[in-house]
Amino acid sequence: MGDVLSDDEIDAGLPEEWAREGDEIVRTYEFEEYLQGVNFAQMVGEIAEAQFHHPEIVIGYKDVEIRLTSHEAGGITDQDLEMAELIETERREREG
Ligand SMILES: C[C@H](O)[C@H](O)[C@H]1CNC2=NC(N)=NC(=O)C2=N1
């Protein structure tokens, strides 16, 4: 578990489309079908288990909100930024 990052480090490392909200980074993904969102949430969960770093996942009708923070560190760390990058990469690969 890394240390909590500075505002500048967070701004520099935040992937495109992600936003910072206090001690969390967040992105909401839109889908055409409900089950596409459910499957996406499963993918995120698998990445989280592999990284042992777990986001909050809120599945809506045709969207999924992902919120990341490092609970033990008490803020945003490299693990959160890395998780966001992994989610982005995996989603791009699956979208083709
Ligand atoms: C005991 C503690 O829950 C574990 O070390 C892991 C599990 N997954 C985690 N996930 C997140 N987001 N933050 C943590 O601090 C964290 N800690």
Side-chain angles (χ1 to χ4, degrees), residues 1 52-55 68-73 80:
M1 175 72 57
F52 200 52
H53 196 71
H54 302 84
L68 278 157
T69 191
S70 295
H71 304 296
E72 289 173 69
D80 300 305

Side-chain angles (χ1 to χ4, degrees), residues 52-92:
F52 200 52
H53 196 71
H54 302 84
E56 180 181 301
I57 303 172
V58 179
I59 300 173
Y61 172 46
K62 291 189 178 181
D63 59 37
V64 176
E65 181 184 80
I66 307 293
R67 285 186 176 272
L68 278 157
T69 191
S70 295
H71 304 296
E72 289 173 69
I76 299 166
T77 70
D78 279 330
Q79 283 188 285
D80 300 305
L81 300 180
E82 174 66 13
M83 271 291 295
E85 287 292 352
L86 289 170
I87 292 166
E88 292 294 316
T89 300
E90 187 62 27
R91 183 168 188 235
R92 275 196 299 274

Side-chain angles (χ1 to χ4, degrees), residues 5-6 14 20 25-26 29 31 35-36 43-46 58 70 73-75 79 85-86 88 90:
L5 300 175
S6 69
L14 201 60
R20 180 199 180 161
I25 59 172
V26 59
Y29 295 83
F31 298 93
L35 286 179
Q36 288 173 335
M43 179 199 84
V44 173
E46 288 167 2
V58 179
S70 295
Q79 283 188 285
E85 287 292 352
L86 289 170
E88 292 294 316
E90 187 62 27

